Amino acid sequence: MKKPTVTLTDNRSGKSYEYAILEGTRGPSAVDIRTFFADTGMFTYDPGYTSTASCTSKITFIDGAKGELRYRGIPIETLATQHSYLETCYLLLNEHLPNSRELQNFDLEIRHRAYIHESLRLLFDAFPNNAHPMATLSAAVTALASFHKEHLTLDDAADYHTMASRLLAKIPTIAAFAYRHSLGIPLIQPDIDLSFTKNFLTMMRAYPGGKMHLGSNGHEEIREVEVRALDTIFTLHADHEQNASTTVVRGVASTGAHPYVAIAAGISALWGRAHGGANESVIAQLEMIGSADRVETFIARAKDPDDDFRLMGFGHRVYKNFDPRAKILKRLQDELKEELGLNSRLMEIAGRIEEIALSDEYFVSRNLYPNIDFYTGIILTALQIPKNMFTPIFVIGRTVGWITQWIEFKKDPTSKIARPRQLYTGA
Ligand code: SDX
């Protein structure tokens, strides 16, 4: 059978160039243009990489048309409803779900690694109280590289496992410390008797001595329904193929820098409101709109090409259908509305935006649907997570994806330093 190829012809010289078509196990094929510049003396042009595959990967699969997402081949709906976030972390890192013994050992290791060096704790004092926790988080993860220089030379699977587990375990502690420092209140150390997600909520909400402050929901204890909701949110954020921040992580991996500074770079990239920073902007936008009857005014602004106002939480480079994670979160919102005391006013405004946008030609013609960020904020608000901690929550969920992608890059014998070219239009 003929090898699948595409042929490009330059109509100036009549010369033709043939390139192999590479088939994946799922999704679109790719044209192998690695010799294109050597063959033609020309570059391909694709700012924003709308049509570019930067690597091969076995980690996450997204079908934008169908609104499908799989981690290691398992549908996100299965993982979000039948497995914990730690099981999903294990799956991403080890390519299979853990059995009970593997999960128990992994859970125990993560609990014991949740503590950070006392010197690293001093870093928080260098930041002003009003520092955004994303700034502190990125700085602290960079600093962590100084405490674990040995991860610069990783020789075998055990080294990768230790490097990954250490960071997964410490990120929630660093995030919670950044938050408490921003309030000027004492830090709450991790508690090895608590599960990953309950431990994070406790470090966020407990008073010294372990008592919970009486939250707006009138409950002193952290309830299992809250832990399950946040655990699901972490799972939904765990990985997402070659998104902007993962591309940055792989770029830093390609220069041979320390894995933790690659993750710190990913944290910085995620902060932007076009990416992970959108979840914080969605709530700010819902609060700014203020009531359902003002939604149409803002929809008109979102459609106005001369107005740079965008509907935060809408649109996606890959999903041209509902973001499957958004569907799961919407269901979670409806299920937990009463139990978590979700803000019905914000839900009403969000519902009105969705109702109008999903029938309006501007959004329909551009395949603009709600994405994951459109729904997370209302649930996080009910969990007493403040807006400026929404993107750090995204970081906690996504760290396992970044680390897994970093390891895959390092293990790929064909990987090269990321060094794109340009179409020069200067003097
Ligand atoms: C995440 O990549 C990932 O996987 C990311 C992520 C992950 O898990 O890692 O899924 C997480 O980042 C989700 C996205 C969160 N960002 C937002 O919600 C911010 C609002 N969304 C937009 O900024 C935008 O939709 C992007 C950035 C998400 C996608 O941008 P694209 O793919 O480059 O699309 P585009 O900017 O070229 O827009 C296409 C058209 C344009 O109109 P025209 O020029 O064709 O007339 O759609 C319009 C845009 O103006 N458009 C919007 C819009 N998003 C796109 N118009 C109004 N409101 C919006 N939200």
Side-chain angles (χ1 to χ4, degrees):
M1 187 171 100
K2 263 177 39 134
K3 273 177 52 181
T5 62
V6 288
T7 303
L8 296 168
T9 303
D10 182 339
N11 66 2
R12 298 167 299 179
S13 62
K15 276 190 80 175
S16 293
Y17 307 90
E18 197 174 31
Y19 296 96
I21 295 175
L22 306 175
E23 300 290 349
T25 49
R26 289 180 191 273
S29 310
V31 178
D32 184 351
I33 55 161
R34 282 175 288 186
T35 60
F36 189 83
F37 177 59
D39 298 341
T40 67
M42 292 190 285
F43 300 133
T44 59
Y45 182 68
D46 185 16
Y49 316 123
T50 48
S51 305
T52 295
S54 62
C55 61
T56 61
S57 181
K58 296 180 168 58
I59 301 167
T60 291
F61 176 74
I62 302 174
D63 182 319
K66 287 191 214 152
E68 182 185 346
L69 168 61
R70 292 166 180 266
Y71 295 158
R72 297 292 188 191
I74 300 177
I76 190 66
E77 293 76 9
T78 305
L79 294 168
T81 55
Q82 299 169 30
H83 296 278
S84 70
Y85 173 65
L86 271 194
E87 287 177 276
T88 299
C89 289
Y90 190 96
L91 166 71
L92 286 166
L93 287 164
N94 299 286
E95 304 184 38
H96 65 87
L97 281 164
N99 60 36
S100 57
R101 163 68 66 194
E102 288 164 334
L103 180 60
Q104 189 183 29
N105 292 340
F106 185 55
D107 185 343
L108 209 53
E109 178 180 10
I110 296 292
R111 291 178 190 224
H112 282 84
R113 291 191 184 283
Y115 299 85
I116 64 171
H117 196 291
E118 272 303 288
S119 304
L120 181 57
R121 200 184 54 70
L122 300 176
L123 177 82
F124 297 90
D125 298 341
F127 283 82
N129 277 359
N130 62 357
H132 195 293
M134 284 296 283
T136 327
L137 194 49
S138 178
V141 173
T142 294
L144 200 57
S146 315
F147 290 85
H148 302 289
K149 296 186 185 69
E150 71 280 12
H151 292 328
L152 204 49
T153 51
L154 300 167
D155 293 328
D156 57 36
D159 293 347
Y160 282 116
H161 173 84
T162 301
M163 180 275 289
S165 309
R166 181 170 270 152
L167 190 60
L168 289 185
K170 293 175 183 349
I171 287 269
T173 306
I174 293 170
F177 282 10
Y179 168 63
R180 297 200 53 118
H181 174 75
S182 74
L183 296 180
I185 58 178
L187 306 180
I188 297 293
Q189 288 294 339
D191 179 344
I192 53 174
D193 291 335
L194 299 178
S195 68
F196 179 90
T197 302
K198 189 162 191 174
N199 185 36
F200 172 69
L201 282 172
T202 303
M203 290 190 286
M204 286 283 291
R205 294 213 314 236
Y207 276 140
K211 288 296 282 175
M212 289 298 139
H213 76 77
L214 204 53
S216 52
N217 55 26
H219 293 272
E220 283 208 358
E221 286 310 310
I222 288 174
R223 293 171 293 152
E224 273 318 299
V225 64
E226 294 179 282
V227 176
R228 275 198 319 277
L230 184 55
D231 204 73
T232 302
I233 287 175
F234 286 150
T235 296
L236 295 175
H237 285 83
D239 192 51
H240 215 237
E241 199 213 68
Q242 305 311 316
N243 59 85
S245 50
T246 297
T247 299
V248 165
V249 168
R250 280 180 172 258
V252 177
S254 78
T255 68
H258 192 288
Y260 291 173
V261 298
I263 303 308
I267 293 171
S268 301
L270 188 78
W271 194 357
R273 66 197 302 261
H275 192 10
N279 53 20
E280 178 176 346
S281 307
V282 167
I283 286 292
Q285 202 164 82
L286 294 178
E287 288 166 349
M288 176 189 65
I289 293 172
S291 64
D293 59 9
R294 280 161 43 91
V295 163
E296 291 186 67
T297 313
F298 287 91
I299 294 273
R301 286 190 56 194
K303 292 160 60 177
D304 179 354
D306 300 326
D307 189 333
D308 62 4
F309 177 85
R310 282 204 159 180
L311 216 45
M312 300 316 285
F314 259 76
H316 198 279
R317 170 63 59 75
V318 177
Y319 290 124
K320 299 310 170 191
N321 191 329
F322 244 92
D323 180 333
R325 304 166 296 177
K327 273 187 181 170
I328 294 167
L329 280 167
K330 187 168 166 36
R331 231 181 7 252
L332 199 61
Q333 253 189 23
D334 297 340
E335 281 163 22
L336 301 179
K337 187 169 184 298
E338 303 309 324
E339 251 193 303
L340 283 182
L342 300 186
N343 182 319
S344 47
R345 183 174 61 85
L346 293 184
M347 282 182 77
E348 188 194 355
I349 297 168
R352 185 75 182 120
I353 290 173
E354 206 186 313
E355 181 191 332
I356 296 177
L358 294 185
S359 57
D360 182 298
E361 188 277 334
Y362 173 91
F363 294 89
V364 172
S365 63
R366 291 168 177 80
N367 295 307
L368 300 178
Y369 288 86
N371 60 48
I372 186 167
D373 295 307
F374 190 65
Y375 297 101
T376 29
I378 289 175
I379 295 175
L380 292 178
T381 302
L383 299 181
Q384 301 170 54
I385 307 263
K387 273 200 297 289
N388 67 358
M389 281 299 289
F390 286 6
T391 312
I393 295 281
F394 196 141
V395 169
I396 294 172
R398 184 54 57 87
T399 294
V400 66
W402 288 328
I403 284 272
T404 305
Q405 298 271 352
W406 185 95
I407 292 170
E408 183 174 75
F409 180 93
K410 284 300 189 187
K411 286 183 172 176
D412 177 353
T414 67
S415 56
K416 299 167 75 70
I417 190 165
R419 207 295 185 200
R421 301 302 302 277
Q422 63 183 16
L423 178 65
Y424 181 69
T425 56

